[in-house]
Amino acid sequence: MAIYYSSTRGGEKNVTASQAILKGLAEDGGLFMPDTIPVFDRSFSELAKMSYQEVAYEVMKLFLSDFTEEELKDCIARAYDSKFDTEEIAPLVKADGAYYLELFHGNTIAFKDMALSILPRFMTAAARKNKIDNTIVILTATSGDTGKAAMAGFADVEGTKIIVFYPKDGVSRVQELQMLTQKGDNTSVVGIDGNFDDAQNGVKKIFNDKEFEKELAAKGYQLSSANSINIGRLVPQIVYYVYAYVKLLENGEIEDGEKINITVPTGNFGNILAAYFAKQMGLPVGRLICASNDNKVLYDFFQTGIYDRKREFILTSSPSMDILISSNLERLIYLSTGCDAAKTRELMEELTRDGKYTVTDDMRERMADFSGGYATQEENAAEIKRLFDDTGYMIDTHTGVASCVYRKYVKETNDTAKTVIASTASPYKFSRSVMEAIYGSEEGKDEFELIDEMEKASGVAVPAAIEEIRNAEIRHNIQCTPDTMESTVDDILK
Ligand SMILES: *Cc1c(COP(=O)(O)O)cnc(C)c1O
């Protein structure tokens, strides 16, 4: 069945998957949504016998219906290969009764690799399919992990350039070094004097500037986005929830059809939305537990039905979740209105104008699968330490938030359903925060000393992604303010 995409704000309809991937954001500022969410055409016991790559094909073919089988299988084979340090691609680790789904075995040791290893492949296939000769310029705002993962995916990919904006003082040292040492003649990194929301808003503004679009077109450029608003990122993220479920089934941890809960450390609401899509496709999922850090705008939203971004932006030890405007929530809003684009547009305009909006009781009822929770900085650190002391399993600060929220949820509800926790980054990426959570202050030690100590304590070898940056040359040093992002793009493309 052919699936077409429409903007959540009503301005575009009947867009093919490949066009939606190329565009990233819809012309009217909305997000592309499939007109229907497809359901599985394979049983879970069939899927259980498949490799990650095969499950990926079974999921992707349903959403990306204008790609041929050959195109999809080629994209998949080139994305999920030896870049990953395990053949399973996304292994499950059981610790203290929960299943940690490790999504950090790719190039840049964060879950963004799961989708960004394949997005560049989708884009080049989509450009060919749509006969596009322009150079595709990927503009991306990052809270720390997307930027590196996107550059790793797009570096030296013919017909593309990539420009990444990150909050200069809002990422971990490892995250920053990973970006600043990025190779590839087509990559640029810009530190902005602002937070992630400033970066994300700035990128959206550039996308909506029609004059600038024309100027770029005259020079043979066309913009696209690698942010999690791109449907080409959402779809690959559905795969690992399906894969986790069927592996639990294969390993006899659950019965066929048994409902599991899923807990996701959330920022831009992309990862957890993918889990929700998996549920809509027919995956037996009970509750979706949305875990926030101190920037608990989503927790408050699920508690009250009021989304209010007017609050202090807090820099935490889980920087990839330091976000007050969760872009992908717009897709859930759209679904909860019964796909009413006018209503969705109205709410999103309210958010821009007033900094908040309130959803109706009907809408809240349609979102009842979600539970919100949050963990403070201290609770997060305590959970990382507790889990390590009890089991020897070391988790990063984002997974720590999810783990903590999950344990609180069980205490409050006595819900004993088997639970998958999305483990979104390697602890090596946040070595200082993780080591300080376990051993107390590590002041005076440099990042790489801590990394070596982490290796001894965890028994997990230092990943290649870390070894790479130990002595790598700094290649990028552009900085700008939120107001000069567009002119910076112009300069880079000159
Ligand atoms: C991006 C990121 C998140 C948040 O994911 P969203 O899809 O933005 O909700 C959580 N943890 C890590 C490590 C990340 O990089």
Side-chain angles (χ1 to χ4, degrees), residues 145 175 265 291 293 317-321 380 384 395-403 422 424-425 430:
D145 290 329
Q175 287 178 312
N293 64 19
S317 58
S318 43
S320 303
M321 298 160 67
N380 181 13
I384 292 170
I395 55 176
D396 94 292
T397 44
H398 302 74
T399 312
V401 168
S403 192
T424 51
F430 302 93

Side-chain angles (χ1 to χ4, degrees), residues 288-338:
L288 294 146
I289 302 161
C290 174
S292 299
N293 64 19
D294 286 302
N295 295 294
K296 58 184 183 59
V297 62
L298 287 166
Y299 166 78
D300 292 340
F301 173 66
F302 286 118
Q303 256 353 70
T304 63
I306 302 169
Y307 193 95
D308 185 356
R309 71 166 168 87
K310 290 176 302 168
R311 60 181 76 204
E312 197 196 339
F313 187 101
I314 303 167
L315 291 176
T316 73
S317 58
S318 43
S320 303
M321 298 160 67
D322 290 345
I323 292 175
L324 293 178
I325 305 172
S326 299
S327 291
N328 273 295
L329 188 65
E330 179 167 344
R331 290 191 164 112
L332 181 65
I333 296 292
Y334 175 74
L335 288 174
S336 71
T337 59

